Amino acid sequence: MKTIVQIAAYIVLLVGSVVLGFLGKPTEMGLAVVAAAVALAFSDLEKFSRIKGAGFEAELREKLEAVIEKETEPQVSGEEGRLIPDVSRIDQTTRAVINALQHPEYTWRYMAGIKKDSNLKTEEVKKSLKWLLENGYAKQTQGKYGTVWNLTEEGRYLSAVIDFT
């Protein structure tokens, strides 16, 4: 059902507005564009955490979840049976990358920012990020300008344990 609504909205948005434009009906064309845009927004309603009215302002849940995730304190050792990771296996390069990912101003970091804050070469950062990803301490996604990384809850817990030891 969702895909049918989206297909219909795209048809109205593209075909309907072009036809009404050729017929010289700019008001109807504008209404068709607005109606199709609203239909497309409401077809993915579960992705939004907040939608505003006439000015049409929307906020995606993913961004809100990232903020909540970053601002959640790490658990104290021993809570809920969580094991304390063996930090003796973590080299200084990986510790520097973890510290760069823990930057207080950013939830997601680009390679350039991690390199700058850790004072490491690209290959060293990539090796540490690969290890962090494989062990569930970091995750990656695509940002506006390329791949971005951040620490998972386990990664933030590991960082807290490293700082504590």
Side-chain angles (χ1 to χ4, degrees):
M1 180 66 180
K2 178 178 161 181
T3 55
I4 294 171
V5 171
Q6 287 177 332
I7 291 170
Y10 280 121
I11 290 172
V12 169
L13 183 65
L14 298 173
V15 177
S17 61
V18 169
V19 169
L20 289 169
F22 280 123
L23 293 175
K25 299 182 176 186
T27 305
E28 291 84 355
M29 181 179 74
L31 289 173
V33 168
V34 169
V38 169
L40 285 171
F42 279 104
S43 70
D44 278 333
L45 197 57
E46 70 276 358
K47 290 184 180 178
F48 292 94
S49 65
R50 182 171 57 102
I51 296 178
K52 227 173 182 178
F56 194 74
E57 181 177 317
E59 183 177 327
L60 291 176
R61 288 188 189 275
E62 182 179 318
K63 181 178 179 183
L64 182 62
E65 289 170 2
V67 169
I68 290 170
E69 185 176 322
K70 179 175 173 59
E71 295 178 354
T72 302
E73 66 182 338
Q75 289 182 331
V76 178
S77 65
E79 284 187 30
E80 298 181 17
R82 178 177 277 182
L83 298 175
I84 298 175
D86 182 11
V87 296
S88 64
R89 294 181 22 218
I90 301 171
D91 61 6
Q92 291 300 330
T93 303
T94 304
R95 288 176 188 232
V97 171
I98 290 171
N99 286 335
L101 289 170
Q102 278 286 87
H103 196 286
E105 292 181 35
Y106 309 110
T107 301
W108 294 91
R109 301 296 312 268
Y110 287 101
M111 178 65 73
I114 298 170
K115 284 173 40 181
K116 178 183 173 198
D117 286 354
S118 64
N119 293 318
L120 298 171
K121 296 178 182 172
T122 302
E123 290 307 313
E124 293 172 311
V125 173
K126 283 183 180 180
K127 181 181 174 189
S128 291
L129 285 171
K130 182 180 179 203
W131 184 86
L132 289 167
L133 288 168
E134 289 172 353
N135 289 282
Y137 295 121
K139 58 186 171 183
Q140 71 181 44
T141 190
Q142 289 298 312
K144 187 174 181 179
Y145 302 107
T147 305
V148 289
W149 291 269
N150 81 341
L151 292 175
T152 61
E153 182 180 340
E154 291 298 318
R156 288 188 302 280
Y157 177 70
L158 175 66
S159 175
V161 171
I162 288 171
D163 289 344
F164 185 71
T165 56

